[in-house]
Amino acid sequence: MLYEAHGIKKFIVVCGYTDLRKGIPGLSQIIEGSYQMNPFERDVLFLFCGRRGDRIKALLWEGNGFLLLYKRLEKGSLAWPRTPNEAVTISKHDYRLLLSGLNPVNLKVQDVYPKTAF
């Protein structure tokens, strides 16, 4: 579900590190307070990443309530944009690149599944 993102019109990546212990109120406050954006905008997916890069949270207003999504990678980490105090709008294609382990803001290949010695 998180990879397909059907019906999402806009993807906003909150760059830098986010304390993923925060829930809906805390993440909404970050969106409003730090970035002067509206967390109640429909069909907009806000994406947050923790320090280790293997966990992300997404916040989506569905019109009658928030949907909070959480994903933890079993192996590897995401190449998350780490520019502090920046929120970047990305395309659906870039969103898929991000979830595949690439940083669409500063595109470079990162090995999501580290190679093992044979």
Side-chain angles (χ1 to χ4, degrees), residues 2 7 10 14 16 21 55 59 67 69 78 80:
L2 189 56
K10 194 172 178 184
V14 176
R21 295 176 293 179
R55 296 175 178 130
L59 188 64
L67 176 64
L69 302 164
L78 297 170
W80 201 262

Side-chain angles (χ1 to χ4, degrees), residues 18-90:
T18 302
D19 181 356
L20 293 185
R21 295 176 293 179
K22 292 184 184 298
I24 293 170
L27 296 175
S28 295
Q29 186 177 10
I30 290 172
I31 294 165
E32 281 183 313
S34 298
Y35 302 105
Q36 290 72 46
M37 296 178 147
N38 182 8
F40 296 97
E41 191 175 344
R42 276 192 85 147
D43 302 325
V44 176
L45 187 67
F46 293 93
L47 299 158
F48 304 87
C49 186
R51 188 166 296 275
R52 293 183 357 197
D54 65 342
R55 296 175 178 130
I56 61 171
K57 276 192 175 179
L59 188 64
L60 175 71
W61 174 252
E62 294 188 308
N64 62 354
F66 280 104
L67 176 64
L68 181 64
L69 302 164
Y70 180 77
K71 181 170 184 161
R72 183 187 76 194
L73 298 175
E74 290 299 315
K75 291 183 180 179
S77 63
L78 297 170
W80 201 262
R82 295 298 184 186
T83 307
N85 300 322
E86 185 178 26
V88 180
T89 302
I90 61 174

